[in-house]
Structures are given as structure tokens and as C-alpha cells.
């Protein structure tokens, strides 16, 4: 097979993937150049590596609180082994949860008016783990089959990554939370 044929085959394979709009349909056909702000789910299902995209623009905590499923992009999700983001509403506001093929889930909640210590008060009886992200206060509390990673983004704002899995995945939950938080911070506009 020639080099050109191999390249075309590679493009055809990477072009095949989950597409909610069907092949050839442009989700931005309205001419705006972007998809609707109300789109909170991604067509990415984690089964194939997404195509490389330019680095996303930085978002504020307020924007992230309104649409937490934009905390990480498809490439970040693939790197973490996460798929199928789903938004939900809880006592602390909107949340977005992803899952892994192993049944581990990871979710994010943005706290616009609570510092990391206040958010962590609910989880203070857990085992403190050593989590560090350069320049940020990180509080990480581990319980059986769950880990909370709380990151201070300003003196009065924070976000929390919750990772949950069966006991056999216990050793991976807090490291996943730390990696997830690092990727969120890479896309978050902070003061």
C-alpha cells in the first residue's frame, strides 16, 4: 500500500466516530461557527481518540459553573479515560459526571462563594492524602471507594472533583482526582 493510500485510510478511520448529527452534517450550519451554548453533552464516547483541536480559550469560574461539562475537552477526557459527560443539578449547583470503562466515575462541582476549607468541612473525617498542584491550595480527603479533591481557585471560590469506584479501584481514585483537577486548571482563567 502506498504512502498516500495509507494516509487516506488513516484519515478515513479517524473521521469515523460517534456523531450525533450524522455523517456530513455540520452542527454549526447556522453560520455562527460555534455550537449552541446549551449543548452540554459531547458526542465523544471514549472509544476512539478524538481529533486534535486547538487549545480551548480560558473560561472563568462563573462560566464553568453554568456549564460544568466544559471543564475538560474531549482530548482531556480521553487522556483520563473518561467518557459520556452528563450534567445534573444538586444542592451545590450544577455538576457534570463522567465515567470510565471500569465503572469509576468522576464529577466536578464549582463553588462560586465557598472557599476550599468550607467545602472540605463536610469531608473532614476522611484520610488526608498528599495532593499538590503548583500554586494552588488542594485539600484531598479519601474514604472507602470515594475521593474528594477540592481546589481553591481564589480566596472565596473553589471546585471539587469527586471520584467514586469499587474497592478494587481505591488506589486510583485520588490520583485520578488530582489529574482531573490539573486539567481543569489548565483551562480555567484565574486571578
Amino acid at each position: 500500500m502506498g504512502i498516500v493510500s495509507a494516509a487516506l485510510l488513516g484519515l478515513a478511520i479517524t473521521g469515523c466516530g460517534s456523531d450525533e448529527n450524522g455523517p456530513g452534517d455540520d452542527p454549526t450550519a447556522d453560520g455562527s461557527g460555534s455550537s449552541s451554548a446549551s449543548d452540554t453533552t459531547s458526542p465523544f464516547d471514549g472509544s476512539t481518540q478524538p481529533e486534535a483541536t486547538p487549545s480551548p480559550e480560558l473560561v472563568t469560574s462563573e462560566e464553568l459553573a453554568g456549564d460544568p461539562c466544559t471543564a475538560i475537552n474531549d482530548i482531556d477526557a480521553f487522556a483520563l479515560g473518561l467518557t459520556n459527560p452528563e450534567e445534573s443539578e444538586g444542592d451545590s449547583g450544577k455538576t457534570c459526571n463522567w465515567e470510565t470503562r471500569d465503572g469509576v466515575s468522576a464529577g466536578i462541582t464549582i463553588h462560586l462563594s465557598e472557599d476550599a476549607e468550607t467545602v472540605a468541612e463536610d469531608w473532614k473525617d476522611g484520610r488526608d492524602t498528599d495532593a499538590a498542584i503548583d500554586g494552588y491550595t488542594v485539600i484531598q480527603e479519601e474514604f472507602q471507594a470515594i475521593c474528594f479533591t477540592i481546589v481553591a481557585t481564589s480566596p472565596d471560590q473553589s471546585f471539587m472533583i469527586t471520584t467514586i469506584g469499587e474497592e478494587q479501584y481505591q488506589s486510583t481514585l485520588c490520583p485520578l482526582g488530582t489529574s482531573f483537577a490539573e486539567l481543569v486548571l489548565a483551562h480555567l482563567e484565574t486571578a
Side-chain angles (χ1 to χ4, degrees):
M1 180 182 312
I3 294 174
V4 173
S5 297
L8 289 175
L9 178 61
L11 286 173
I13 290 171
T14 57
C16 295
S18 176
D19 188 346
E20 293 177 351
N21 298 310
D25 290 347
D26 181 2
T28 61
D30 65 355
S32 69
S34 64
S35 54
S36 167
S38 64
D39 291 343
T40 58
T41 60
S42 167
F44 176 63
D45 66 3
S47 62
T48 59
Q49 182 170 1
E51 293 182 26
T53 56
S55 296
E57 292 183 31
L58 296 178
V59 296
T60 65
S61 292
E62 290 78 11
E63 292 168 326
L64 199 52
D67 190 1
C69 289
T70 62
I72 58 173
N73 60 29
D74 290 344
I75 292 178
D76 296 334
F78 184 82
L80 294 171
L82 301 174
T83 63
N84 304 322
E86 289 190 27
E87 188 175 289
S88 61
E89 188 83 26
D91 292 340
S92 297
K94 289 183 181 178
T95 261
C96 189
N97 295 296
W98 289 258
E99 56 190 53
T100 70
R101 287 183 195 92
D102 297 327
V104 172
S105 69
I108 185 169
T109 306
I110 311 302
H111 297 273
L112 293 176
S113 59
E114 290 183 295
D115 62 35
E117 288 79 17
T118 303
V119 173
E121 277 296 312
D122 290 338
W123 319 115
K124 66 182 176 187
D125 294 331
R127 183 177 68 83
D128 294 336
T129 61
D130 295 326
I133 299 174
D134 290 341
Y136 293 92
T137 299
V138 180
I139 300 169
Q140 199 167 56
E141 299 286 337
E142 183 178 30
F143 295 84
Q144 185 172 345
I146 192 166
C147 183
F148 299 100
T149 305
I150 302 126
V151 180
T153 54
S154 72
D156 62 347
Q157 292 184 346
S158 60
F159 67 84
M160 181 171 67
I161 305 293
T162 305
T163 48
I164 303 170
E166 294 180 16
E167 191 174 334
Q168 67 207 36
Y169 300 110
Q170 183 72 46
S171 65
T172 67
L173 298 178
C174 287
L176 175 59
T178 301
S179 296
F180 193 150
E182 290 171 334
L183 290 171
V184 171
L185 289 167
H187 303 296
L188 188 63
E189 183 178 294
T190 57

